[in-house]
Amino acid sequence: MTPAERPLRLGFAAPMFAAPGIPTLRTPSLERLDWAQTLAAIREAEALGYDSVWFSDHLFHGRGGEFLESWTTLAAAAGATERIRLVNNHLGINYRPAPLLAKMAATIDVISAGRFELFVSHGMREREHTSYGFGWEPDVARRVAKLDEAIEVMRSLWSGKPVDHDGEHYRLRGALSTPVPAHPIPLWLGGPLSDPVAMLIAARADGWNALPASLTEYAAQAERVDAACRAIGRDPSTLRRSLETQVLILGDDSEWNEWMLRWAELRESAPLGFATSDMFPNGTAIDDPAALTAACVDTFIIGTRREVAAKLAAYRDLGVDEVVCWFMDWPVGDSLRSLAEDVRAMVKLA
């Protein structure tokens, strides 16, 4: 089956934090985090036919640092949904011990009747690690090596048999994790695509999740991952591929300027504050709106229904089989519904 013949899955990135007015930071139209609102969106996504919901992992982020903890939120969503797949998103391996992570993953999979998928990361934000006292390893290769060992430990524990393990980062003696998962838990990897990350994806992952990238950038990243697969004798087509990106469906091109004005007002009325000062050391003002617009349109999926459908089809033709959507207009706009009800059918015909 060629990429164009495969159905394109749609994932919903659960709004775990508010980033009012910041177009590049996932949730620019959300003024303040509200759990009831987030839960309602997850239920709506399931009702609309979205295939998965993804739960990001930060300790603090966005306005006031308010961020819903990933595991707790996913567990609540498991009890509030029936069909939709549940996926962690960039789960930091240093925030929770890997053996405990294996137990948590198995439990979530059991209570969700086999709907869980695990996306673990080597960790990307130094400030969150050091502020919580978790320690930070600046060398990417060493962080990836720890993640590699963590994956080995977790998969061993999912066997349901006692596990002994003597490694650099984990030591287990007769560790037992039962009940076992309800199904073989798919493992996702991703993040900034360094050589160590690409090699680990090829060696260990069931799926690769790409960060927002233009079509040209994505094609180059995909070739890099494919090359890593071929280097170890793996067929690149055995690797599932998702793209995590921002999405905004416009009635016409003029609507973009209206959103830019709205976001400018939100930056003034609802500043992010201390929690993201490391990310925006010079403030959040947009000095060159035209350049930002060009970058957003190139990197994200923004446009009219037909334009969005065409870009989704182009990513599909590059091998993407699932797009994980952060909706730039949520909760005040209609992109969440429109993508499922209008655009999805257009992509199938593209």
Side-chain angles (χ1 to χ4, degrees):
M1 182 181 292
T2 66
E5 295 171 326
R6 289 198 300 262
L8 184 67
R9 293 176 174 173
L10 296 180
F12 175 56
M16 311 281 281
F17 68 103
I22 313 299
T24 57
L25 205 58
R26 309 297 200 218
T27 57
S29 298
L30 181 59
E31 293 190 42
R32 184 172 291 281
L33 179 64
D34 181 276
W35 163 239
Q37 198 174 39
T38 296
L39 180 59
I42 292 168
R43 285 172 163 158
E44 182 181 6
E46 181 172 58
L48 286 168
Y50 280 79
D51 300 281
S52 58
V53 57
W54 300 57
F55 300 84
S56 292
D57 191 35
H58 286 275
L59 301 173
F60 52 85
H61 198 25
R63 184 180 180 185
E66 294 183 352
F67 196 97
L68 295 170
E69 194 277 326
S70 182
W71 274 107
T72 316
T73 309
L74 189 150
T81 56
E82 297 179 353
R83 174 196 56 80
I84 201 165
R85 291 168 26 242
L86 308 160
V87 193
N88 291 117
N89 194 353
H90 296 281
L91 196 74
I93 198 62
N94 293 312
Y95 295 161
R96 307 161 190 87
L100 177 60
L101 199 62
K103 180 69 174 178
M104 295 163 71
T107 300
I108 285 286
D109 199 52
V110 168
I111 67 175
S112 68
R115 291 186 287 138
F116 176 68
E117 301 183 13
L118 179 63
F119 178 4
V120 281
S121 166
H122 58 287
M124 293 181 286
R125 192 179 178 203
E126 178 180 357
R127 181 183 174 191
E128 289 181 50
H129 288 75
T130 57
S131 66
Y132 268 64
F134 290 145
W136 174 254
E137 169 55 64
D139 185 84
V140 172
R142 288 187 59 81
R143 297 205 307 276
V144 171
K146 180 177 181 179
L147 178 58
D148 187 14
E149 185 181 340
I151 293 168
E152 179 183 351
V153 166
M154 290 188 290
R155 283 181 165 160
S156 295
L157 286 166
W158 289 337
S159 71
K161 300 175 182 178
V163 174
D164 292 335
H165 177 88
D166 283 299
E168 181 179 354
H169 304 284
Y170 304 103
R171 292 173 179 79
L172 285 71
R173 288 288 178 273
L176 185 66
S177 179
T178 54
V180 298
H183 83 312
I185 295 176
L187 181 78
W188 290 86
L189 296 173
L193 204 59
S194 63
D195 285 341
V197 170
M199 292 168 61
L200 187 63
I201 289 168
R204 295 283 197 180
D206 298 298
W208 162 48
N209 179 77
L211 293 169
S214 69
L215 289 164
T216 301
E217 291 168 341
Y218 180 83
Q221 292 179 21
E223 175 51 39
R224 191 173 180 183
V225 170
D226 289 352
C229 287
R230 290 191 293 266
I232 61 169
R234 179 177 181 177
D235 180 352
S237 69
T238 63
L239 186 68
R240 294 165 60 187
R241 294 155 194 260
S242 65
L243 171 69
E244 175 187 355
T245 192
Q246 277 98 295
V247 176
L248 178 62
I249 299 175
L250 306 171
D252 57 57
D253 291 341
S254 67
E255 280 190 18
W256 173 258
N257 293 328
E258 296 173 16
W259 283 111
M260 287 286 281
L261 289 172
R262 176 182 176 83
W263 293 331
E265 293 172 358
L266 286 175
R267 286 195 299 278
E268 290 295 323
S269 64
L272 295 183
F274 171 77
T276 54
S277 57
D278 57 318
M279 302 174 68
F280 300 97
N282 299 317
T284 58
I286 296 174
D287 297 326
D288 191 341
L292 176 69
T293 295
C296 286
V297 170
D298 188 41
T299 303
F300 305 148
I301 300 176
I302 297 172
T304 64
R305 287 170 176 79
R306 290 190 179 279
E307 289 168 340
V308 167
K311 193 162 188 180
L312 285 170
Y315 281 116
R316 178 199 60 195
D317 293 346
L318 289 174
V320 174
D321 50 49
E322 186 157 8
V323 177
V324 182
C325 306
W326 290 94
F327 290 104
M328 300 175 74
D329 58 352
W330 188 85
V332 294
D334 200 35
S335 293
L336 171 64
R337 183 205 59 79
S338 183
L339 185 67
E341 293 187 348
D342 305 324
V343 176
R344 192 174 205 169
M346 299 166 66
V347 176
K348 291 179 181 178
L349 299 173

